[in-house]
């Protein structure tokens, strides 16, 4: 690199989604509305599961953690994005940037394995219903959730440790609305090839292992459903995992599109649209998917509301 100045920068500039003041105002209103729905939906889901004893099952235990992850995931990104849309000052400190990226990767990786745990839970409920209570014991559920958080912690530690070793040569403009790995890699004036390989292996392993777990679970589930003779039985079995399958498809589809490719193919347009979807929109969609498509949640909400009304 010769005698190029590689002094570490103290802050970054997040360029955001657009320079147009009018479009920024529209986006601010839209993102604020989405964030409010996200908070209400996920907090509401957690409260309903906590308050209704009939939802104290492995499936809803995992779902409560999914709601917690979505709420945290959105809160890591959206408030800062809203702030940048309203103000002309787009600076963020080096520490704040890497802290945001740390929790973003941690929560995202954790959600991957939590979705895998939920697929395994559906496999146990449909393929081995007689042994379901034994297989999905409280201890097993807690172990799966703890393992998801542990893997998320390990994944984000590798990512942030690698990226923190980069030098930016006073390059500080991030062409994104949050501190994302590919956007930060694009700033570095040092050779990033080895770091890209490490991050690709780490992120790829997380996605691949969780996807294999989900795929194997659903192949077994589909095989079991096809053996059911009655149409009503098939519909009932499929309805228990339809919401989870839809959530998995949306989450993994945008993640794979964005991250499982070389950083040199990073583009400002398509990648930002995909990023808006999985960082801001998906955390809002999950509670809607699970509540609108699930009669048990609707019935639980009615029971909770009736109990509150009777207590008054």
């Amino acid at each position: 690199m010769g005698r190029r100045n590689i002094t570490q920068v103290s802050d970054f500039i997040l360029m955001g989604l657009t320079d147009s003041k009018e479009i920024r105002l529209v986006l601010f209103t839209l993102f604020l509305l989405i964030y409010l729905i996200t908070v209400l939906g996920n907090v509401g889901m957690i409260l309903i599961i906590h308050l209704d004893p009939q939802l104290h099952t492995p499936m809803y235990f995992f779902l409560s953690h999914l709601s917690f992850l979505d709420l945290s995931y959105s809160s890591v990104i959206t408030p800062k994005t809203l702030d940048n849309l309203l103000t002309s000052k787009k600076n963020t400190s080096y520490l704040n940037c890497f802290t945001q990226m740390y929790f973003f990767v941690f929560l995202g990786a954790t959600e991957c394995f939590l979705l895998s745990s939920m697929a395994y839970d559906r496999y146990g409920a449909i393929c081995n219903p007689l042994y379901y209570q034994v297989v999905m014991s409280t201890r097993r559920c807690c172990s799966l959730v703890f393992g998801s958080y542990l893997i998320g912690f390990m994944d984000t530690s590798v990512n942030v440790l690698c990226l923190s070793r980069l030098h930016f040569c006073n390059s500080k403009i991030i062409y994104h609305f949050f501190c994302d790995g590919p956007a930060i890699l694009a700033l570095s004036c040092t050779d990033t090839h080895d770091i890209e390989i490490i991050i690709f292996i780490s992120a790829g392993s997380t996605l691949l292992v969780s996807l294999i777990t989900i795929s194997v679970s659903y192949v077994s589930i589909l095989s079991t459903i096809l053996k059911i003779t009655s149409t009503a039985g098939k519909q009932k079995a499929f309805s228990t995992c339809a919401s989870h399958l839809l959530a998995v498809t949306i989450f993994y589809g945008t993640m794979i599109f964005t991250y499982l490719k070389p950083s040199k193919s990073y583009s400002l347009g398509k990648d930002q649209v995909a990023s808006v979807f999985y960082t801001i929109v998906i955390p809002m969609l999950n509670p809607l998917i699970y509540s609108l498509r699930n009669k048990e949640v609707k019935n639980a909400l009615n029971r909770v509301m009736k109990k509150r009304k009777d207590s008054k």
Side-chain angles (χ1 to χ4, degrees):
M1 301 305 295
R3 298 184 60 84
R4 185 186 295 181
N5 179 18
I6 58 171
T7 303
Q8 191 71 292
V9 297
S10 60
D11 63 348
F12 295 103
I13 299 173
L14 290 168
M15 292 304 293
L17 292 163
T18 179
D19 293 327
S20 170
K21 188 175 180 180
E22 291 76 15
I23 296 177
R24 288 209 311 268
L25 186 60
V26 172
L27 289 176
F28 173 83
T29 306
L30 178 62
F31 290 170
L32 178 61
L33 179 62
I34 290 174
Y35 183 61
L36 291 175
I37 295 173
T38 300
V39 172
L40 290 173
N42 285 290
V43 170
M45 185 68 73
I46 293 170
L47 286 175
I48 290 170
I49 293 171
H50 176 74
L51 293 173
D52 190 80
Q54 293 188 34
L55 297 186
H56 293 175
T57 63
M59 174 182 171
Y60 291 102
F61 173 73
F62 291 126
L63 184 54
S64 65
H65 280 276
L66 180 64
S67 293
F68 171 74
L69 287 175
D70 283 334
L71 178 62
S72 304
Y73 193 73
S74 180
S75 298
V76 166
I77 304 296
T78 311
K80 180 62 178 176
T81 303
L82 292 172
D83 181 57
N84 286 349
L85 287 170
L86 270 190
T87 62
S88 57
K89 185 181 178 182
K90 299 179 181 292
N91 292 62
T92 183
S93 70
Y94 182 90
L95 179 60
N96 287 342
C97 187
F98 274 79
T99 300
Q100 183 187 56
M101 184 169 59
Y102 181 90
F103 282 104
F104 167 70
V105 177
F106 167 65
L107 295 165
T110 302
E111 185 159 332
C112 284
F113 280 92
L114 186 65
L115 289 170
S116 299
S117 300
M118 294 174 75
Y120 177 70
D121 170 69
R122 292 299 84 206
Y123 161 79
I126 295 173
C127 300
N128 297 295
L130 296 178
Y131 299 99
Y132 177 67
Q133 296 297 330
V134 177
V135 173
M136 297 306 296
S137 62
T138 302
R139 185 175 181 179
R140 175 69 61 84
C141 292
C142 291
S143 297
L144 288 171
V145 170
F146 175 76
S148 299
Y149 282 100
L150 181 62
I151 292 170
F153 170 75
M154 292 168 60
D155 198 9
T156 192
S157 297
V158 170
N159 276 262
V160 174
L161 182 62
C162 288
L163 291 171
S164 66
R165 298 172 66 87
L166 295 174
H167 295 288
F168 300 101
C169 305
N170 294 324
S171 299
K172 53 196 294 185
I173 300 176
I174 298 176
Y175 292 97
H176 215 318
F177 62 93
F178 72 101
C179 294
D180 196 15
I184 292 176
L185 270 171
L187 291 184
S188 179
C189 60
T190 53
D191 183 18
T192 62
H193 181 260
D194 291 342
I195 291 177
E196 283 183 50
I197 291 175
I198 294 171
I199 292 176
F200 183 84
I201 291 173
S202 176
S205 299
T206 298
L207 285 172
L208 190 61
V209 172
S210 57
L211 269 177
I212 288 174
T213 304
I214 292 170
S215 299
V216 170
S217 297
Y218 273 103
V219 167
S220 300
I221 288 170
L222 182 61
S223 176
T224 301
I225 290 175
L226 291 176
K227 293 176 183 177
I228 299 174
T229 54
S230 67
T231 304
K234 288 181 179 180
Q235 290 178 345
K236 183 179 179 180
F238 184 74
S239 66
T240 63
C241 54
S243 298
H244 176 256
L245 191 58
L246 180 59
V248 164
T249 303
I250 296 172
F251 181 79
Y252 278 91
T254 52
M255 279 288 191
I256 291 171
F257 172 82
T258 306
Y259 291 109
L260 289 191
K261 60 183 178 181
S263 65
K264 298 301 180 185
S265 65
Y266 172 81
S267 62
L268 186 61
K270 292 181 179 179
D271 287 330
Q272 281 197 333
V273 172
S275 297
V276 166
F277 201 76
Y278 69 75
T279 57
I280 297 176
V281 178
I282 288 180
M284 175 193 70
L285 290 179
N286 279 344
L288 295 177
I289 289 171
Y290 281 98
S291 60
L292 295 177
R293 294 182 59 87
N294 195 315
K295 290 182 179 179
E296 288 183 349
V297 174
K298 293 177 183 177
N299 292 335
L301 179 60
N302 291 332
R303 286 193 296 270
V304 170
M305 296 298 291
K306 187 176 184 299
K307 190 181 293 184
R308 279 181 60 96
K309 186 177 179 181
D310 293 341
S311 64
K312 289 181 179 180

